[in-house]
Amino acid sequence: MENLNLSKHQTFYAVGLSYKKADAETRGKFSLDDKAKTQVLIQAKNEGIDSLIVTSTCNRTEIYGFAQHPFQLIKLMCENSKGTVEEFQKFAYVYKNQEAISHMFRVGTGLDSQILGDFEIISQIKNSFIESKSYALANSFMERLVNAVIQASKRIKNETEISSGATSVAFASVQYIMNNVEDISQKNILLFGTGKIGRNTCENLVKHTKNDHIVLINRTKNKAEKVAGKFNLIVKDYTDLPVEIQKADVLVVATGAQNPTIDKDLLNLKKPLLILDLSIPKNVHENVKSLSNVSLIHLDHLSQMTDETLEKRKEHIPAAEAIIAEVKTEFVAWMKARKFAPTIHALKEKLNAIKEGELDFQRKKISNFDPEQAEIISNRIIQKITTHFANHLKDDTTMVDESIEWIQKVFQINPSHTEGEILQKAGYNE
């Protein structure tokens, strides 16, 4: 198994947990809001970690980065969330090197999403990288990898039908409402929370339910007004929440709060209410289930729904995987080239030094010596020699590290300790 080492003691890891093994309650404990994600970056910087990105959605919380040991990254996650190391060991995963790279590709292209083909995660990966870069925590390896994943995601969207139809939790929630609430266009729908999932849910509600009296409430009213303005909907103050809940037939909760914002004490109901909690951590307290006229559905239930559209999407997985393989091959080729580039550069400098010494010797020895012609000929020879070495190192059958070591020993060269050398060590070690 080949290794990806940033240095002799650092390896590329992906650590985290997702819907596959961790239920919504557990994922909620490890959830990182924007403030917590920033704190992870600050702590990582203080602890000498070179490069990492942090993602946290309703389906997963993950850290991709370089470390001497994965526990350095696990520690960052646990110390900035409510999750414990014991829970991490029980529900989470650790991938290294090629497995970590492959995992990021699958996550970023929607193949690992709770609803197959949901591409919302790619924008968070992109934004997480931008924030990491602002803290000087994104090296060239990470930048190239993130760009490769973005490229694969775009190609899969454009070249396959794996995302045909709506593919998000937001759409699944609207689909559930339409399948379980009669005359939905005439019902009172209240949307509490206008973050990304809330906005997407709102758009799907307007598009599919033909309901023109949806009410939006957000703790920050102007954010709700911006969303409502796009769809000509009603906005109410946060203080109106209890009253609007009494009027509602359907309540969709999509806030980013770290603790429940809706509980049974807030529900003074006189008619049945369907509540959809699309938040991680859960924002609707389980005690609402004790009320006979309340039905509570969480996003994990929505994601378990399978329909004909989702089944058809599975047919396009091989095409998506072929695109990933192609883009990943290009990334690996870049990585291998960057790995040996410092050695090839040093070899070229060594050969040029030999050339200069030999040309000086021949100038003194040959009376009609032509330095310009000799320069041209020797430069072409050096170029051909270095190209031969580069092609050898690019070959898939080459033991790259052994060959690099051999070249350095034979020609007595020692590449400088630059970012190029760091990336050299971020390549494949047999």
Side-chain angles (χ1 to χ4, degrees), residues 198-217:
R199 293 194 302 272
N200 291 343
T201 303
C202 183
E203 185 173 352
N204 279 290
L205 283 169
V206 172
K207 180 178 178 180
H208 298 289
T209 67
K210 311 301 181 187
N211 190 311
D212 61 357
H213 50 282
I214 299 170
V215 175
L216 303 184
I217 293 180

Side-chain angles (χ1 to χ4, degrees), residues 1 13 18 58 60 70 76 80 89 103 109 118 136 147 159 178-179 203 217 230 261 289 292 305 325 382 411:
M1 177 67 179
Y13 292 105
S18 74
C58 57
R60 69 184 69 248
L76 286 172
N80 291 282
Q89 291 173 329
H103 181 68
T109 56
D118 183 352
N147 285 336
E159 298 174 28
M178 294 178 67
N179 290 339
E203 185 173 352
I217 293 180
K230 291 176 62 179
T261 54
K289 291 181 179 179
S292 60
M305 295 190 310
I382 289 172
F411 290 95

Side-chain angles (χ1 to χ4, degrees), residues 3-8 66 139-141 332 334-346 393 400-408 413-430:
N3 294 324
L4 283 161
N5 295 322
L6 182 68
S7 72
K8 290 181 179 178
F66 288 93
N139 60 18
S140 296
F141 172 93
V332 169
W334 168 86
M335 187 168 53
K336 289 182 75 173
R338 290 302 295 267
K339 176 180 183 177
F340 60 70
T343 296
I344 294 297
H345 180 71
L393 292 168
V400 179
D401 287 304
E402 289 184 9
S403 293
I404 287 175
E405 187 178 354
W406 178 83
I407 293 168
Q408 291 176 358
I413 55 178
N414 183 25
S416 60
H417 289 263
T418 62
E419 184 184 6
E421 187 188 19
I422 291 174
L423 281 169
Q424 172 191 345
K425 293 171 182 175
Y428 274 42
N429 297 330
E430 287 81 10

